[in-house]
Amino acid sequence: MRIKLIAFNGRYIHSCLALYYLREELRRRLPGALPELRQFTINDPYYPTLLKIGEDAPAVLMFSVYIWNSELILRLLGDLAQILPATRFVLGGPQVAALQPTHLPDRTTLVHGEVEGLPDAFYTDLIENHLAPQYRAESGRPFPSPYRDEDLAGELSQRQVYYESSRGCPFACSYCLSSVARGVNWKEVARVKEELGFILAHHPKLIKFVDRTFNARPERALAIWRFLAESAGETVCHFEMAPDLFTREMFAFLADLPPGRFQFELGIQSTNPATLRAVNRVMDLEKVGENIRRLATMGNIHLHADLILGLPGDSAYSCRHSLNQVFAMGPHHIQMGLLKVLPETAVNSTPGLLHAHRPPYEVLATSTLDHPTLRQLYWLGECVESFHNNRYFTTFFKYLRNSDWEIAAFFGDLLELCRSRNFFSLAATQELLTGLLADLVRERRDGPLLLEILRYDWLRCGHRFLPAALGESDLTECSRELARSMPPNLDPLYEYRNRSEFLKRHTFSRFSGRALAVFGWSAPGDGVVAFLAEREDSLHRHQKTILLPA
Ligand code: SF4
C-alpha cells in the first residue's frame, strides 16, 4: 500500500517532527506498509508541489495540519481530489479541530490527538480501505524518538532536528493550544540521554527542543543540560524556557558554557500584571527581569524574548511599557508577535476581541486596543525586528539601554522616518539600516557620539569601508597617518619585518575619548582602534578590537 506523508514547513531548514512519529507508528502497526515522507515549504511553487504529491497515485495521503499551512493544504486537497479519484486523505495535527468536514473532499479522515494513541481500528480500517470520517487518539502514551540513522544522515543533516523530552505544558495560558490538553508526559531522563546520544552521533547543527516549558522541572532540565555539555560538541541546542524558573544551580552551570552553544526562547508576552492575570499566565515578573538581566550579563547564551501584541487588557501604554521593560533586560532578540486567536482556546471568548476569520487568526482589535493603535504597534514591532534583532548595532543599543532615551519612543521616531523613506518596501541591508539610524540621531545632543558608535559597530562587523552615512572619517587617511607615526616595533602586535603587513591586514579608525569610554577603554583623549582580521569567540563573533597605544 503506497502511503505518502506530507508536511509543509515554514522554511527549508525546519522539519516536521510529527510526521516522523507518524511514519514510525505506521511501520510498527502495519509492517507491510512503506510510508514515504515528503517535506515541502509553504513558499514552494504551487503547481509543481501538487504534481509531486500526486505522483504515482498513492493509496493514502496523510497531512500534518497547522495554522500556518492549513489554507494551503485545503487548496491542495481540492485539486488532489480531482486528479486522484481513488486516493484517501488523512489529516492530523493541531489545526484539525478547526477544520469543517463539509469543506473537505468526502474521502477525508480527520485524526484528533497524538498518533501514538490511535486505536487499532484505525489501522485495520486503513488496510481494509474503509476509514471512518474521524478517529480520536488517547493521550499520555510513550513517544519514543522517531528518527532513524538514514533520516539524520540524510534529509535532517541539512535541517534543524526537533526533539521533545516532554509533551504538554504544566501551565494553562488562555491563548495557547498547549493549555487545551491537560498534563505533561515526561520522558525518563535516561531515555532522553540515550535518544539524544543517537541524534548527536550525527552532529546536527541545531537541536530544537520543542518541550513547551523545558525548565518546568529544573532538576530534570539541569540533568539533560549536563549530558549535552558533555556530548553535544558543536551542536547548538535551543530551548523554550520559563524566564522565572531558573535556579542558582542552573546559573552556575550556564556560566561555564562556551558562547553560542545554547539558545533560549523566553516567553514574557506582557509585563502588565492585569493582562497576565486575564490570560491565566502565572509568572513572577520580578524574577523574569532579574533572571534575563543576569543571563544577558553572562553573554554566552543567545536570548530571544517574546512579547505578544493584542492580549486582553493590554493598552498602547502597557504594550510600549512592556517593550521598554524587556529592552532594559538586554535580550538579543525581541519579538513582538501578534496574538493568534485560535478557535479552540479560551481567549477566543473574550468580549471585544476581533480577529481574522481564517488561519492564522491574527488579532485585529481588542476592547483596550483599537485597530489603528494595534496597527501602529505592529509596525513598531517590525522596526524592532529589522533594527534590533541582529548583530549590527549591539554597542548602539547597549548605549541606548543606559541612556535617557525611552526605547519605545525611540522606535516610534524611527518608524516615522522609515515610513517617510518607504523602508518597508526596500531590502533591509546593513547599509540601509545604518543610514537610517545615522539620520535619526545626527541632530541629537549626543548625535556625534552616536555616529561614532555606529561607525564602531559597522567596523566590528568586518567591513573595510564606511557607508556614505558614516563617511566623515576616512579610513585610508587613518592608515596613512599610522604608517607615518607608528613605531618600527610594537610588541606583541608586530615587529619591523611585518609592520606593513599589520597595517594592511587590519582596519583602523580614530575615535574620541568619550566614545572609547563607551567601548570600554579609558583613554585621556582620542585614540585609534584596530579592527583585527580575526573574530572574537563570542555570541556575535564580531571582529576583535584593540586600542592602539597613543
Ligand atoms: S504559552 Fe507556554 S507556558 Fe503558556 S500554556 Fe502555552 S506552552 Fe504553556
Side-chain angles (χ1 to χ4, degrees), residues 230-301:
E230 282 167 17
S231 328
E234 297 292 309
T235 298
V236 174
C237 300
H238 180 105
F239 306 92
E240 293 187 22
M241 305 288 288
D244 52 342
L245 297 184
F246 285 85
T247 60
R248 199 177 317 136
E249 292 76 22
M250 283 176 155
F251 278 116
F253 166 84
L254 294 170
D256 290 334
L257 278 181
R261 214 49 73 71
F262 278 13
Q263 302 176 344
F264 289 163
E265 191 165 334
L266 303 152
I268 303 170
Q269 326 309 17
S270 170
T271 61
N272 178 10
T275 293
L276 295 178
R277 274 197 302 280
V279 297
N280 197 30
R281 191 168 167 84
V282 186
M283 209 166 56
D284 179 340
L285 282 171
E286 211 169 301
K287 271 259 165 268
V288 169
E290 199 181 295
N291 289 346
I292 297 182
R293 271 193 188 86
R294 191 164 167 190
L295 289 166
T297 308
M298 280 166 25
N300 56 344
I301 296 168

Side-chain angles (χ1 to χ4, degrees), residues 168-179 212-213 240 269 281:
C169 180
F171 301 105
C173 309
S174 68
Y175 53 84
C176 174
L177 214 49
S178 297
S179 68
R212 306 308 293 145
T213 306
E240 293 187 22
Q269 326 309 17
R281 191 168 167 84

Side-chain angles (χ1 to χ4, degrees), residues 7-8 12 39-49 52 72:
F8 287 95
Y12 177 75
Q39 303 195 67
F40 300 90
T41 82
I42 50 173
N43 299 315
D44 289 348
Y46 182 80
Y47 197 79
T49 305
K52 285 177 194 168
L72 172 60

